[in-house]
Amino acid sequence: MSDTILSIKDLKVNYGGIEAVKGISFDVPKGHIVTLIGANGAGKSSTLRAIAGLVKPKSGVIEFEGDNIAGKDTTAIVSRGITLVPEGRRIFPDLTVYENLRVGAYMRKDDITPDINWVYELFPRLKERSWQAGGTLSGGEQQMLAVGRALMSRPKLMMMDEPSLGLAPLIVRDIFSIIKEINKRGVTILLIEQNANMALSTADTGYVLETGRITMTGPGKELLVNEAVKAAYLGT
Amino acid sequence: MKKKNKAELWIAFAAIALIYVAVAILEQTMDNNHIIFTVLKKGAIYSLVAVSMNLLNGFTGLFSLGQAGFMLIGAYTYSIFTMPTAVKLTESVYKYYEAAVKFDTGIFVGLICAGLAAALFAALIGLPVLRLKSDYLAIASLGFAEIIRAIFQWDVLGPVTNGANVMRNYLDLTDVKIPFTDIPFPPTLYVFLAAGVCIALIVLLINSSYGRAFKAIRDDEVAAEAMGINLFKHKEMSFVISSFFAGVSGALLAMYQYTVQAAQFKAAMTYELLLIVVIGGIGSISGSCIASFLYIAASEWWLRGLDMGKFLGIDAPNLFRSGFRRFVFSIIIMMIVLFFSRGLMGDREISFAGLIRRFNRRQTAGATKGGGIDG
Ligand SMILES: Nc1ncnc2c1ncn2[C@@H]1O[C@H](COP(=O)(O)OP(=O)(O)OP(=O)(O)O)[C@@H](O)[C@H]1O
Ligand SMILES: [Mg+2]
């Protein structure tokens, strides 16, 4: 397992007195798509926020490319190549599509034109609308923009918090096929989903998170047919 | 799109150049005591503070109420620095104190130091406050402005600030000379140039990648942080720069007034500026400038008759007397806020393409709503 890009060991996250993440451990192999599924309030978003440095973990180790980045600030973490597509998209509503993408590349000093072109190639819709204010895009377009904006930092690891939230099934399929395409370009993906079906069929590895603890692990396809997972998350 | 933007930029430059030429010609041809020159000078100074306030409120989403305090610091720094040492040593200004500052500088150095002094205080306030939630800045800056006004009038600081007494005999607008000559510089044009250069610098900042980061913070702090933008650093930067220009505008106000006194920089002044920013449109530079000139013109010129017994040719000394102007003015402002809830300009800028488009639309299909402004 020398090719593990991200390794979480006994991570705990607290909000005041509330224990949101109660000591979880998992690995993300380089170049893979890994998904974390779980019910509402299981601590999925909190885990991602801790990795991104948006909340300081109470304890535990977050090893990225061999270095412990737990507790470092987001600026440093983004510079190292981790990016987060936040829950609920959170694009900048009063900035244009183009400006949103520029802000995504804020930490970079090199030429960003190739990346802008790549994003426009992945999402031709964004190119058509590059001078439109982000807030006026449809939900699906906003999700595309959120993904595009995250790609602008040229990440090694892209974390996505429920990209399918509130989107029509057709758009969800588009987004997931683009996630695979991004992955093929060498970006490791850590994906959180309520839509377990879609996530598990896309992912190489899946983890099931329940009330702050990991209860199951396995290749995505195996979890997809696992009876317990089916009962709890797939509604079949 | 890019090409069109460039053409628009040139038109904007030409229009601004035209305004400056018009001001220069007016000043050479008209009686310089005409009220219009008061409006132009004060309007330009207020434009600068309003734009600096907009940098913070409109573009960074930080709410500060300290403008009057930073202007005070700028005005005093300027007057203390540029008052000739010979004047300080006589009793003509420092009557009750022995002046402690025994050097003097030129106008340009004085203006820069005025900005730097205000920026220094802003940096010190920002250090603890900007790490907290944004709401605290409004309270802290307002408190600071009130305290600083009291401190500058404090007897113990008299040797520096002249206590509660008036500062005068420092270098004012009549002391500005055309470089390398002894010919006086046209004062209104000078204020326009000084304010114009500062506003241009702010516009450059807003359009830089820092400006984009400010706007991202305004739109969504959490998302901005997730992009790697250091929230504290950028908020502090915006606050310090905004205060720098408030300090410079305070110095320009001191130059224009010939005398200056700490007591004049009340919270009411900040509210006046806030009103200008809101009327012009939060997030619109041209809106702030237009609103500044309209506000000053209305309060100092157009509505004056309301206090003096005669307005629009109507003699009514019983109605039009002291205080009535404020009343009418308040009603006008209320109407503007009601009917233009996002200010005259919203967050847009004047654009000539927009004006032309509007004109064409009028000609072809009759008037429709909006236009004349463009995103
Ligand atoms: N800022 C906060 N302050 C206090 N408690 C919080 C905060 N954020 C999250 N929590 C709590 O932490 C727990 C885990 O929340 P988290 O957002 O990580 O869940 P999640 O798995 O992402 O859920 P969902 O699927 O609904 O998004 C919840 O009980 C939540 O109430
Ligand atoms: Mg969540």
Side-chain angles (χ1 to χ4, degrees):
Chain A
M1 287 301 283
S2 65
D3 263 5
T4 300
I5 189 166
L6 180 76
S7 176
I8 308 287
K9 292 183 188 105
D10 202 25
L11 179 70
K12 288 187 181 145
V13 180
N14 279 20
Y15 297 105
I18 307 165
E19 272 196 314
V21 179
K22 301 167 183 161
I24 63 169
S25 305
F26 64 94
D27 285 337
V28 179
K30 195 173 177 172
H32 282 213
I33 300 180
V34 172
T35 187
L36 216 56
I37 60 169
N40 292 109
K44 307 183 297 293
S45 298
S46 304
T47 306
L48 292 202
R49 289 164 51 77
I51 298 170
L54 293 168
V55 290
K56 304 288 167 238
K58 180 169 169 258
S59 65
V61 175
I62 301 171
E63 217 174 85
F64 181 69
E65 295 186 316
D67 299 319
N68 185 8
I69 56 163
K72 287 220 158 70
D73 57 18
T74 310
T75 307
I77 291 173
V78 173
S79 310
R80 293 206 54 155
I82 300 181
T83 187
L84 172 68
V85 183
E87 188 171 15
R89 318 185 234 290
R90 305 194 86 133
I91 49 125
F92 304 112
D94 289 332
L95 300 191
T96 64
V97 168
Y98 177 73
E99 284 177 313
N100 266 277
L101 295 178
R102 292 288 302 267
V103 174
Y106 192 71
M107 299 307 299
R108 286 176 49 192
K109 303 276 169 276
D110 53 333
D111 182 24
I112 61 167
T113 335
D115 305 79
I116 295 252
N117 290 337
W118 183 38
V119 170
Y120 282 164
E121 203 181 294
L122 284 173
F123 305 106
R125 220 72 91 95
L126 294 183
K127 188 176 186 181
E128 287 163 26
R129 289 159 204 279
S130 60
W131 300 99
Q132 196 172 318
T136 62
L137 298 177
S138 76
E141 289 161 354
Q142 291 191 9
Q143 186 63 61
M144 296 173 192
L145 181 55
V147 175
R149 183 182 64 181
L151 285 177
M152 289 304 297
S153 67
R154 203 174 271 183
K156 295 173 187 158
L157 172 68
M158 178 156 85
M159 305 191 291
M160 310 177 83
D161 196 341
E162 299 199 30
S164 74
L165 195 75
L167 300 183
L170 222 59
I171 310 263
V172 172
R173 213 173 309 150
D174 282 354
I175 295 269
F176 272 89
S177 77
I178 283 169
I179 291 174
K180 278 191 224 164
E181 204 172 321
I182 294 167
N183 177 246
K184 282 206 193 90
R185 289 273 193 122
V187 181
T188 308
I189 305 225
L190 176 55
L191 179 69
I192 277 183
E193 264 300 338
Q194 297 265 346
N195 189 340
N197 198 348
M198 204 70 203
L200 289 175
S201 50
T202 311
D204 301 302
T205 313
Y207 292 92
V208 178
L209 195 60
E210 267 171 50
T211 57
R213 291 203 167 80
I214 288 190
T215 54
M216 243 181 284
T217 316
K221 299 262 162 28
E222 271 174 35
L223 289 180
L224 204 52
V225 294
N226 180 295
E227 290 306 322
V229 173
K230 269 165 113 172
Y233 302 106
L234 300 173
T236 48
Chain B
M1 194 69 205
K2 282 257 161 68
K3 205 168 172 192
K4 203 188 96 198
N5 274 348
K6 214 168 193 179
E8 279 215 355
L9 214 60
W10 283 112
I11 299 175
F13 273 131
I16 291 167
L18 213 65
I19 291 173
Y20 277 85
V21 171
V23 167
I25 292 174
L26 270 188
E27 201 165 24
Q28 295 311 312
T29 53
M30 272 178 77
D31 172 14
N32 281 6
N33 290 321
H34 193 283
I35 182 84
I36 196 167
F37 293 105
T38 303
V39 171
L40 287 174
K41 283 179 210 142
K42 220 172 159 189
I45 294 168
Y46 269 54
S47 293
L48 174 56
V49 222
V51 169
S52 82
M53 196 168 184
N54 213 336
L55 168 68
L56 207 58
N57 292 356
F59 290 93
T60 320
L62 286 173
F63 201 65
S64 154
L65 292 173
Q67 264 64 23
F70 294 116
M71 288 177 75
L72 184 157
I73 292 171
Y76 264 74
T77 306
Y78 176 83
S79 62
I80 294 166
F81 274 38
T82 63
M83 191 185 300
T85 310
V87 175
K88 285 175 186 145
L89 295 181
T90 65
E91 284 197 353
S92 66
V93 182
Y94 287 87
K95 208 174 209 160
Y96 307 103
Y97 310 97
E98 196 194 330
V101 179
K102 293 202 171 72
F103 64 87
D104 56 271
T105 70
I107 290 172
F108 184 73
V109 175
L111 285 173
I112 299 287
C113 291
L116 289 177
L120 177 73
F121 276 92
L124 292 176
I125 302 168
L127 229 44
V129 173
L130 289 176
R131 292 186 196 277
L132 306 173
K133 253 181 69 186
S134 294
D135 314 352
Y136 290 96
L137 182 63
I139 303 160
S141 56
L142 184 63
F144 161 76
E146 291 299 299
I147 291 165
I148 205 81
R149 185 158 48 90
I151 289 179
F152 270 66
Q153 300 182 65
W154 188 25
D155 207 43
V156 174
L157 287 179
V160 179
T161 62
N162 202 17
N165 307 298
V166 169
M167 294 294 269
R168 64 168 103 82
N169 295 345
Y170 48 84
L171 299 179
D172 56 45
L173 283 178
T174 57
D175 296 307
V176 186
K177 303 280 188 271
I178 293 172
F180 310 115
T181 68
D182 229 9
I183 310 161
F185 200 99
T188 309
L189 188 63
Y190 180 79
V191 175
F192 260 67
L193 285 173
V197 167
C198 292
I199 291 173
L201 290 173
I202 297 175
V203 170
L204 284 178
L205 176 73
I206 286 170
N207 289 318
S208 72
S209 71
Y210 288 115
R212 219 175 294 119
F214 294 162
K215 289 186 264 182
I217 292 173
R218 171 198 67 189
D219 274 14
D220 190 330
E221 271 193 18
V222 175
E225 195 183 6
M227 297 301 112
I229 294 171
N230 183 325
L231 296 182
F232 169 72
K233 195 180 112 191
H234 286 83
K235 286 179 180 176
E236 175 89 351
M237 189 197 281
S238 177
F239 184 48
V240 166
I241 293 174
S242 166
S243 304
F244 175 91
F245 288 113
V248 173
S249 72
L252 287 172
L253 190 67
M255 285 179 87
Y256 153 76
Q257 290 182 162
Y258 305 107
T259 67
V260 74
Q261 207 169 1
Q264 91 176 81
F265 295 90
K266 295 197 175 73
M269 195 170 182
T270 301
Y271 299 146
E272 207 172 44
L273 288 160
L274 186 61
L275 208 57
I276 288 174
V277 172
V278 171
I279 290 174
I282 292 173
S284 169
I285 301 285
S286 44
S288 286
C289 296
I290 293 168
S292 295
F293 283 103
L294 288 180
Y295 186 95
I296 300 290
S299 67
E300 308 259 330
W301 182 14
W302 298 334
L303 301 182
R304 259 203 171 177
L306 292 175
D307 271 1
M308 319 263 251
K310 194 171 171 182
F311 185 66
L312 294 175
I314 304 163
D315 260 314
N318 285 330
L319 178 64
F320 297 158
R321 50 194 219 196
S322 215
F324 191 63
R325 179 174 61 161
R326 281 214 92 82
F327 173 71
V328 173
F329 203 29
S330 310
I331 290 180
I332 293 176
I333 285 163
M334 249 177 344
M335 301 291 256
I336 292 179
V337 173
L338 278 178
F339 291 108
F340 296 85
S341 56
R342 304 189 61 211
L344 296 173
M345 303 288 298
D347 60 356
R348 294 164 296 189
E349 300 295 343
I350 277 205
S351 113
F352 295 89
L355 280 173
I356 293 163
R357 231 177 289 140
R358 179 187 194 188
F359 183 71
N360 287 340
R361 212 184 303 144
R362 274 260 157 91
Q363 282 191 325
T364 53
T368 38
K369 211 172 142 246
I373 23 197
D374 200 6

